[in-house]
Amino acid sequence: MITPIIVASHKPYQERRSMPVLEASVDQYGDGAKLESFYRRDRNFGQAYNEAVRWTFEEYPDCERFIIANDDVVLRPDTLALMCEDADRLDHQGIEWSHIAARFDRGAYTLQNLVRNPFESEPLVFEERWIAPVFSMIHRRRWVDFPPINWGSDVVQCFDMRANGYKIFVSRAYVHHVGGITCGANAMADREASRRWLAENRPGLVDLI
């Protein structure tokens, strides 16, 4: 079964300097995976990935799992194997997971970041309240759309997934995160825009971001 790896960006391909490295690592280490890249110039993070996921549902109707990724990550030889093993183990235990997210080494201060959560945790798969989907496997039937914002869309999605009764995990899998900008170019402006959208549409979640 093919595992789609979905990347969406506001930058055209020629401006995504890290993308060829991701492609090379998927070609080399992504046995059973296919990289699908989307350019969405007039979309924010949430809108771009929602559109890409809907396309994936139509293009891969029998695929139960897919991966969303930033365009600035590099796989290790065991990244996909470990992530699939972790998903299989959770399925075998009857756990309804929605995200199983890779660890990384730069950006996004979640417990996926090895700077915050050092190496002794590497053999463990553990539940988290929210993750950054730098490279994250998602269960098709438990997908929830991102809100149409750049900053904090992943936090809100995780909140909604947990509200639906699904669990979120950090995998043993690891990717190197170069740390570019997949969607959005001004973090402070994006954060304020997101807080305004949440205040108008999801006022109870403003403090999440």
Side-chain angles (χ1 to χ4, degrees):
M1 179 69 70
I2 294 175
T3 301
I5 299 175
I6 306 162
V7 173
S9 178
H10 70 293
K11 300 176 186 176
Y13 180 87
Q14 61 270 24
E15 294 180 17
R16 288 186 264 169
R17 292 175 293 175
S18 302
M19 191 69 186
V21 184
L22 170 59
E23 290 175 328
S25 68
V26 171
D27 288 343
Q28 188 71 26
Y29 307 131
D31 184 31
K34 184 176 181 183
L35 186 62
E36 303 282 7
S37 179
F38 297 84
Y39 169 44
R40 296 289 187 268
R41 181 173 64 87
D42 297 322
R43 301 289 189 272
N44 57 43
F45 181 96
Q47 293 167 328
Y49 274 92
N50 290 340
E51 290 180 13
V53 168
R54 283 193 285 272
W55 178 91
T56 303
F57 286 168
E58 294 176 2
E59 192 71 14
Y60 297 89
D62 299 322
C63 186
E64 285 291 293
R65 303 170 181 172
F66 61 96
I67 292 169
I68 60 174
N70 284 15
D71 60 8
D72 55 358
V73 298
V74 183
L75 276 61
R76 281 184 11 158
D78 61 356
T79 298
L80 279 171
L82 287 173
M83 187 166 279
C84 290
E85 286 175 13
D86 294 343
D88 289 342
R89 185 179 305 171
L90 293 173
D91 283 345
H92 183 71
Q93 294 173 2
I95 296 172
E96 292 192 320
W97 58 271
S98 53
H99 269 290
I100 303 176
R103 302 158 191 263
F104 51 81
D105 56 347
R106 181 175 176 181
Y109 287 97
T110 72
L111 290 180
Q112 299 156 262
N113 189 321
L114 292 176
V115 174
R116 287 194 66 199
N117 194 29
F119 297 100
E120 57 264 25
S121 71
E122 283 190 291
L124 305 176
V125 179
F126 58 89
E127 188 176 353
E128 247 295 54
R129 295 181 64 234
W130 69 276
I131 54 85
V134 169
F135 191 88
S136 185
M137 179 172 283
I138 296 175
H139 198 290
R140 176 194 186 98
R141 285 178 281 130
R142 298 161 197 156
W143 169 258
V144 174
D145 275 358
F146 288 110
I149 53 180
N150 270 329
W151 189 278
S153 56
D154 46 2
V155 180
V156 176
Q157 185 199 51
C158 288
F159 177 92
D160 289 340
M161 286 176 165
R162 289 189 295 108
N164 287 344
Y166 305 134
K167 297 182 181 294
I168 294 162
F169 289 89
V170 173
S171 172
R172 295 171 297 156
Y174 168 87
V175 292
H176 172 53
H177 186 209
V178 177
I181 303 173
T182 301
C183 283
N186 185 321
M188 291 300 296
D190 286 341
R191 184 174 186 271
E192 289 309 308
S194 294
R195 288 179 62 85
R196 286 195 300 272
W197 186 91
L198 288 171
E200 294 175 6
N201 297 277
R202 305 284 300 274
L205 304 183
V206 173
D207 290 340
L208 285 179
I209 63 170

